[in-house]
């Protein structure tokens, strides 16, 4: 699944292309996404200017004069710039056509979303999909004290607490395993038992892990590509534990283990990471 670094990489790519530009036409080939694309969306956005290309968690937010379009890439989707006139492939469901460029949403599983939030419905941050999201990991307020407070009284495993997204957004399955390794925390540790000092190390590790992923353009997992159509290279450079089960730890040479938590694979080093 595209995670925060992949979505932010996409945001940066399309921001340079569409912000300040007028959308001439929205073409919806397949409206049956995770939620149906409203039938009137093309007419709502025709000849409207993109004022901002923002992000909240894993949601892309395209702001127009009269509302905000919410775009989610789903499980294996991508939003990229394509040459004008390029024939759509199978699973190319939506086009944003500008005079100088075309953006295309490719989503084989149709688990993504393209929704509309009019300004008349209130601030975009109050939308039901966004209202309960946790703090952004690069927000200056995000630190060990914040995590320690959020984890108080939570008996679930620390890995699951990170994936829940209510304490901090964007730490999905891949980067949760990597961040916990950097912090030296066993992924099975109850969240409430992680001390303030270890929460501080974890917050620093989360920022460092996501920063590395952003610098690399995201991961190379599955079908993810960025706005330019190029895959990221995080795993070629940085991965310490993710999908490395059965191989030696890069730090201590202990064999990396794999376990399943909440139907998601977790990877960790039993020597470097302690409860």
């Amino acid at each position: 699944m595209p995670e925060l670094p992949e979505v932010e990489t996409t945001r940066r790519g399309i921001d340079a292309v569409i912000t300040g530009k007028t959308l001439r036409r929205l073409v919806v080939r397949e409206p049956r996404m995770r939620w149906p694309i409203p039938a009137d969306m093309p007419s709502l956005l025709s000849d409207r200017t993109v004022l901002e290309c923002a992000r909240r968690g894993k949601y892309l937010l395209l702001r127009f004069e009269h509302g905000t379009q919410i775009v989610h890439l789903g499980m294996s989707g991508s939003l990229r710039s394509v040459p004008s006139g390029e024939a759509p492939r199978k699973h190319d469901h939506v086009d944003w056509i500008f005079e100088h460029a075309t953006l295309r949403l490719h989503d084989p599983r149709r688990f993504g979303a393209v929704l509309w939030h009019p300004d008349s419905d209130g601030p975009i941050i109050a939308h039901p999909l966004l209202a309960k999201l946790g703090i952004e990991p690069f927000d200056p307020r995000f630190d060990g004290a914040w995590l320690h407070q959020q984890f108080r009284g939570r008996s679930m495993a620390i890995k699951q607490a990170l994936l829940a997204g209510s304490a901090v957004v964007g730490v999905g399955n891949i980067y949760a395993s990597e961040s916990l390794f950097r912090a030296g925390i066993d992924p099975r540790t109850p969240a409430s038992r992680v001390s303030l000092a270890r929460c501080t190390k974890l917050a620093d590790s989360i920022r460092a892990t996501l920063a590395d992923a952003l610098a690399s353009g995201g991961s190379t997992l599955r079908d993810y590509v960025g706005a330019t159509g190029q895959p990221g290279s995080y795993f070629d450079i940085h991965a310490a534990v993710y999908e490395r089960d059965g191989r030696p730890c890069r730090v201590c040479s202990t064999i990396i283990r794999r376990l399943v938590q909440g139907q998601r694979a977790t990877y960790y080093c039993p020597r470097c990471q302690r409860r």
Side-chain angles (χ1 to χ4, degrees):
M1 176 185 291
E3 297 191 16
L4 186 147
E6 288 77 42
V7 179
E8 176 60 17
T9 297
T10 296
R11 187 204 68 78
R12 294 177 183 183
I14 66 175
D15 178 53
V17 175
I18 68 173
T19 297
K21 305 299 183 181
T22 299
L23 177 65
R24 294 308 180 193
R25 191 158 54 102
L26 182 74
V27 177
V28 179
R29 299 186 191 86
E30 175 55 84
R32 297 173 299 171
M33 304 291 284
R34 183 175 185 181
W35 298 283
I37 299 176
D40 63 345
M41 190 178 292
S43 62
L44 282 171
L45 297 181
S46 178
D47 294 321
R48 296 283 191 163
T49 299
V50 179
L51 302 181
E52 182 184 24
C53 181
R55 177 191 56 76
R56 181 71 173 101
K58 299 179 186 180
Y59 294 94
L60 293 166
L61 306 176
L62 309 185
R63 186 167 68 85
F64 293 83
E65 306 101 310
H66 58 319
T68 302
Q69 195 173 41
I70 303 172
V71 181
H72 194 281
L73 300 179
M75 295 293 291
S76 57
S78 63
L79 181 62
R80 61 190 181 92
S81 179
V82 300
S84 297
E86 178 176 290
R89 302 172 296 164
K90 185 178 181 181
H91 309 308
D92 284 346
H93 301 316
V94 183
D95 281 359
W96 288 256
I97 300 176
F98 298 82
E99 284 189 0
H100 67 299
T102 297
L103 296 183
R104 181 162 289 166
L105 178 65
H106 181 79
D107 187 359
R109 300 189 186 187
R110 287 194 283 114
F111 205 65
V114 181
L115 301 173
W116 177 246
H117 180 83
D119 283 345
S120 58
D121 284 356
I124 184 61
I125 58 172
H127 189 280
L129 291 174
L130 309 179
K132 295 183 179 180
L133 294 179
I135 196 170
E136 291 283 336
F138 295 109
D139 189 307
R141 297 172 297 164
F142 175 64
D143 58 14
W146 175 280
L147 279 181
H148 193 249
Q149 174 63 35
Q150 296 295 314
F151 291 157
R152 185 170 297 173
R154 304 186 71 176
S155 60
M156 69 171 62
I158 184 67
K159 166 91 178 306
Q160 298 306 101
L162 290 176
L163 293 185
S166 56
V168 57
V169 297
V171 189
N173 196 49
I174 300 166
Y175 303 112
S177 286
E178 294 291 310
S179 298
L180 287 167
F181 173 79
R182 288 192 185 206
I185 299 173
D186 188 303
R188 298 166 294 184
T189 306
S192 60
R193 288 180 50 193
V194 181
S195 67
L196 174 58
R198 299 184 88 195
C199 279
T200 297
K201 191 170 184 179
L202 178 57
D204 292 342
S205 296
I206 287 170
R207 277 193 298 269
T209 298
L210 294 177
D212 283 345
L214 277 168
S216 303
S219 75
T220 57
L221 286 188
R222 298 181 182 173
D223 298 326
Y224 170 74
V225 293
T228 62
Q230 298 298 314
S233 58
Y234 175 83
F235 289 98
D236 294 337
I237 304 170
H238 304 292
V241 292
Y242 195 82
E243 290 194 337
R244 295 195 68 249
D245 50 311
R247 285 179 277 179
C249 173
R250 300 187 193 278
V251 174
C252 71
S253 298
T254 301
I255 298 300
I256 300 297
R257 294 182 184 175
R258 177 185 185 275
L259 59 88
V260 176
Q261 294 177 292
Q263 300 182 329
R264 306 296 298 277
T266 295
Y267 302 86
Y268 71 105
C269 172
R271 183 172 181 180
C272 291
Q273 295 173 252
R274 301 298 178 89
R275 295 198 187 200

